[in-house]
Amino acid sequence: MHNLLQIMGKEIVRCESPKETGRRSRLWTYEDVCLALIDNTGKEKIEAIFLDLPGIKDAQWNMKAFSKMSRLRLLKIDNVQLSQGPEDLSHKLQFLEWHSYPSKSLPAGLQVDELVELHMANSSIEQLWCGYKSAVKLKIINLSNSLYLSKTPDLTGIPNLESLILEGCTSLSEVHPSLGSYKNLQYVNLVNCESIRILSSNLEMESLKIFTLNGCSKLEKFPDIVGNMNKLLVLHLDETGITKLSSSIHRLVGLEVLSMNNCKNLESIPSSIPCLKSLKKLDLSGCSEFKYIPENLGEVESLEEFDISGTSIRLLL
């Protein structure tokens, strides 16, 4: 948006209520937000709060005030230090971004029917919500570097989710089984989720394009591919504890990048690997226990990069 349009828009909003910030439709300065949250009355007109501060500020807000913002559709809070989260949030929320969210979960009574994007990096969340919630419009969940997150939500009530980002959630140990059969996910990032030991036993994620599990050091088995996953382009398994890949990997006919760098327990790859006709990059570097490669690997017609530096390869099978 052009700067002049922004200035004009902000002036229009300011004129909605020159003296009472809590009666304006949009708030974007720290001072105005603080004034609006001093008490919990007269907040019904607020539709958007966009607070993106350059440095961290401590705040003593009245969290009950959020319960009065029944028209709130957009909420972004970054670099605000708080001791607790709101008791309730508007059921009309479409976009929620709250870095360093201080509570262990979202408000119990929150309805997420209208929510499209949820970004809560570096939060104190242990569990996003309990049980089943219907969020049919939700497309993005980003809880990256939420160090206390222990389990993922049930995805069956989120049928249109496209992106799940849980990078750096070091306490995450329980991945809900609904992940393995999810139809619309295109991007899954579980980088450095070092407490994960088991994923779903089977994968049938027909829309998945990028799956990243780098640094999941306790993960010893990658699931079997049981359905149509020909859209998967990139599979990163670097520094995982995986000992072998299932022969069902041949179902990933669209795979272009398979990276297993520094998988110290990996000894071999399945002989079905030549079925990956689209494979362009295969990285097995640093797999110190890796000893054997299939002799038919040369049948991978598209292979452009093959790195086996730092392995223990002795002969071809």
Side-chain angles (χ1 to χ4, degrees):
M1 184 183 296
H2 195 281
N3 288 340
L4 288 177
L5 287 177
Q6 287 189 3
I7 293 171
M8 181 179 68
K10 288 179 178 180
E11 181 61 20
I12 290 172
V13 171
R14 191 191 67 80
C15 290
E16 292 175 348
S17 180
K19 296 183 178 180
E20 295 184 64
T21 59
R23 296 185 180 277
R24 298 176 187 170
S25 62
R26 291 159 178 79
L27 304 175
W28 58 86
T29 70
Y30 178 75
E31 293 75 16
D32 285 351
V33 173
C34 286
L35 285 173
L37 293 172
I38 287 175
D39 56 57
N40 63 347
T41 59
K43 308 293 179 281
E44 294 83 359
K45 291 189 176 181
I46 297 176
E47 297 181 21
I49 294 176
F50 194 93
L51 197 57
D52 190 2
L53 302 178
I56 296 176
K57 284 182 176 285
D58 289 325
Q60 300 295 324
W61 291 347
N62 180 1
M63 288 301 169
K64 292 182 179 179
F66 282 103
S67 304
K68 300 294 183 179
M69 299 179 189
S70 57
R71 299 176 64 181
L72 190 65
R73 294 181 291 110
L74 184 152
L75 177 59
K76 177 175 180 177
I77 297 175
D78 193 9
N79 279 333
V80 178
Q81 190 74 36
L82 295 160
S83 59
Q84 62 179 356
E87 297 181 2
D88 197 10
L89 286 169
S90 168
H91 301 331
K92 294 184 179 180
L93 264 181
Q94 298 175 12
F95 181 93
L96 174 57
E97 181 172 343
W98 194 323
H99 291 256
S100 300
Y101 183 80
S103 295
K104 294 180 179 180
S105 66
L106 290 174
L110 177 64
Q111 296 179 20
V112 287
D113 306 73
E114 299 298 321
L115 197 60
V116 178
E117 294 190 26
L118 175 65
H119 302 268
M120 306 189 82
N122 303 295
S123 75
S124 296
I125 285 178
E126 295 179 3
Q127 187 174 355
L128 191 58
W129 54 63
C130 294
Y132 175 94
K133 277 189 180 289
S134 176
V136 296
K137 296 182 180 180
L138 188 56
K139 292 188 176 183
I140 299 174
I141 294 179
N142 181 356
L143 299 173
S144 57
N145 297 308
S146 295
L147 302 182
Y148 306 104
L149 183 73
S150 61
K151 58 178 67 175
T152 63
D154 182 349
L155 299 179
T156 55
I158 318 174
N160 296 304
L161 190 68
E162 296 178 356
S163 182
L164 179 63
I165 306 168
L166 303 175
E167 178 174 352
C169 295
T170 53
S171 296
L172 180 64
S173 59
E174 184 177 336
V175 177
H176 196 277
S178 58
L179 177 68
S181 57
Y182 201 90
K183 301 298 183 184
N184 290 320
L185 266 173
Q186 298 179 25
Y187 177 66
V188 176
N189 182 341
L190 298 175
V191 170
N192 292 330
C193 292
E194 57 190 36
S195 296
I196 293 179
R197 293 181 179 274
I198 301 173
L199 292 174
S200 303
S201 56
N202 297 321
L203 286 186
E204 189 175 2
M205 305 171 73
E206 59 187 35
S207 298
L208 193 63
K209 296 180 180 179
I210 300 175
F211 197 10
T212 306
L213 291 159
N214 294 351
C216 295
S217 55
K218 294 181 181 178
L219 182 67
E220 296 182 355
K221 185 179 186 301
F222 187 75
D224 292 328
I225 313 299
V226 298
N228 177 11
M229 290 186 60
N230 57 18
K231 292 184 179 180
L232 186 64
L233 301 174
V234 178
L235 178 59
H236 283 292
L237 301 172
D238 301 345
E239 299 180 357
T240 61
I242 290 175
T243 57
K244 64 178 181 178
L245 290 175
S246 167
S247 60
S248 64
I249 192 126
H250 75 272
R251 295 178 179 270
L252 303 179
V253 294
L255 193 66
E256 295 182 358
V257 176
L258 175 58
S259 182
M260 301 188 71
N261 174 273
N262 283 313
C263 290
K264 300 300 184 181
N265 300 324
L266 186 70
E267 295 185 0
S268 63
I269 54 177
S271 58
S272 61
I273 207 86
C275 295
L276 304 181
K277 300 298 184 182
S278 300
L279 192 64
K280 295 180 180 179
K281 178 180 178 180
L282 177 58
D283 186 357
L284 301 171
S285 60
C287 298
S288 53
E289 295 299 314
F290 189 81
K291 299 180 177 66
Y292 311 107
I293 57 174
E295 62 179 4
N296 57 354
L297 186 64
E299 297 176 15
V300 184
E301 301 169 356
S302 300
L303 194 62
E304 298 174 356
E305 184 177 346
F306 180 37
D307 192 343
I308 52 173
S309 58
T311 64
S312 300
I313 288 178
R314 297 172 183 171
L315 53 86
L316 296 177
L317 291 177

